[in-house]
Amino acid sequence: MPWTKLKNFILLILVLTNLCLLGLVVSQNLQTSRQERQTRENTIQFLTNRGVQIEEDLFPQDMELQPMIAQRDLEGEQTAAAALLRGEVEAEPRGGEVYRYYNENGSVQFHGDGTLSVYLEPGIYPVGEDGGADCAAVLALLGFQGELLKETGEGFVFQQLWEGVPLFNQQVTVVCTQGSVSGISGGLRLMGQVQPDQSRENISVATAMVRLMNGISSLGDVCNRIDGIRQGYVCSASLSGSVTMTPVWQVTTDTGSYQLDTVTGAVKRAE
């Protein structure tokens, strides 16, 4: 056979092989899509059979968040303290994984469990008519992206966001006195190098829904409607200085709010 014809024959075989592989991939994707759609329909039917209403667009398509872990960053804490206090700071190790940074403008203290406390001299950060925005700008100097939850008699309560995702138990209160920010108290914050936690993985969306309903029942509660599901994290600190970030669903129902751990499937009432 002439070389030209042989070459064309080989190219034809390669093209046909690629088409077969493409067809196989498309077939597998279609099958996976059908299975996911069927699972979704079965789960919604399960909820309906339990007498629970949920709008289909509220039903999560997938587990958007994966388990993460953060390592404490002492250098980053000192840098953040210097930014907030507008200048170089003195470092004071206080034992028990507690570090205090200070200068003439105030002090910042970080604990190993994520606890944060701040004192500021009067007038450094004035608070205007939009106090929430002014306080959020102060928090941003600490690397704390905050979502305003409420205004209290002493200031503003913020929930921390990490890459736009809520950290449900990481909250701080920015205290305002005589027209300026005087400190930050009663707070937890996440600050460190975040990376995937390969030792844990999520359950499936369908399993999560089943665990949610069973968990609500085990608490002695009954709900007839799911009004919202928000995915976020709950953080817990270890003695080693690392912070475990566990993905959760914050679920709002007609009878109350619940938190579902999407790794273990555990359910508790939202705080």
Side-chain angles (χ1 to χ4, degrees):
M1 178 181 296
W3 167 244
T4 302
K5 291 185 178 181
L6 179 60
K7 183 172 65 174
N8 290 338
F9 181 70
I10 293 173
L11 291 174
L12 178 61
I13 292 176
L14 291 174
V15 170
L16 291 175
T17 301
N18 288 334
L19 288 174
C20 290
L21 291 174
L22 177 61
L24 180 61
V25 170
V26 170
S27 176
Q28 290 176 337
N29 287 341
L30 289 175
Q31 183 177 1
T32 300
S33 179
R34 284 196 296 269
Q35 290 175 343
E36 291 176 349
R37 186 168 57 253
Q38 185 62 51
T39 300
R40 183 183 181 85
E41 292 173 356
N42 291 342
T43 305
I44 293 176
Q45 186 60 50
F46 164 78
L47 295 175
T48 301
N49 293 340
R50 294 282 292 264
V52 179
Q53 302 175 11
I54 181 172
E55 297 293 335
E56 189 167 351
D57 58 352
L58 294 179
F59 196 101
Q61 296 286 342
D62 52 32
M63 293 296 185
E64 298 175 2
L65 307 178
Q66 299 303 313
M68 307 293 285
I69 191 166
Q71 299 295 335
R72 188 175 185 183
D73 180 7
L74 293 178
E75 183 178 344
E77 290 179 355
Q78 183 165 353
T79 300
L84 180 66
L85 299 178
R86 295 182 170 179
E88 293 185 6
V89 293
E90 294 289 333
E92 179 188 355
R94 312 196 80 178
E97 299 301 322
V98 178
Y99 291 84
R100 178 175 177 266
Y101 303 94
Y102 63 94
N103 63 18
E104 67 278 6
N105 292 324
S107 64
V108 182
Q109 186 163 288
F110 298 103
H111 295 245
D113 63 356
T115 304
L116 166 72
S117 60
V118 173
Y119 165 76
L120 294 170
E121 290 290 336
I124 295 177
Y125 292 105
V127 177
E129 293 185 1
D130 192 349
D134 292 335
C135 291
V138 172
L139 287 175
L141 296 172
L142 284 172
F144 188 110
Q145 180 190 5
E147 177 181 62
L148 180 60
L149 295 182
K150 61 182 178 180
E151 181 177 359
T152 68
E154 62 176 1
F156 299 85
V157 179
F158 290 85
Q159 177 177 272
Q160 188 175 6
L161 304 177
W162 174 73
E163 296 188 350
V165 176
L167 307 178
F168 291 118
N169 62 332
Q170 307 297 100
Q171 298 179 11
V172 299
T173 299
V174 181
V175 181
C176 301
T177 306
Q178 296 181 348
S180 69
V181 176
S182 58
I184 298 172
S185 66
L188 287 169
R189 64 88 185 91
L190 175 71
M191 183 181 291
Q193 304 298 319
V194 179
Q195 60 188 18
D197 184 353
Q198 304 292 352
S199 66
R200 302 182 298 154
E201 61 181 21
N202 287 319
I203 57 181
S204 68
V205 171
T207 300
M209 276 296 186
V210 174
R211 295 283 183 88
L212 173 65
M213 300 314 304
N214 291 340
I216 292 175
S217 296
S218 68
L219 291 171
D221 297 346
V222 177
C223 77
N224 299 309
R225 188 181 68 251
I226 295 176
D227 296 321
I229 299 176
R230 190 182 188 191
Q231 300 190 50
Y233 284 103
V234 166
C235 301
S236 58
S238 68
L239 295 176
S240 65
S242 63
V243 175
T244 298
M245 300 170 61
T246 300
V248 298
W249 287 0
Q250 194 92 329
V251 183
T252 305
T253 75
D254 58 325
T255 56
S257 297
Y258 303 89
Q259 206 169 77
L260 168 73
D261 183 322
T262 65
V263 174
T264 66
V267 177
K268 67 176 185 179
R269 295 185 181 91
E271 298 177 357

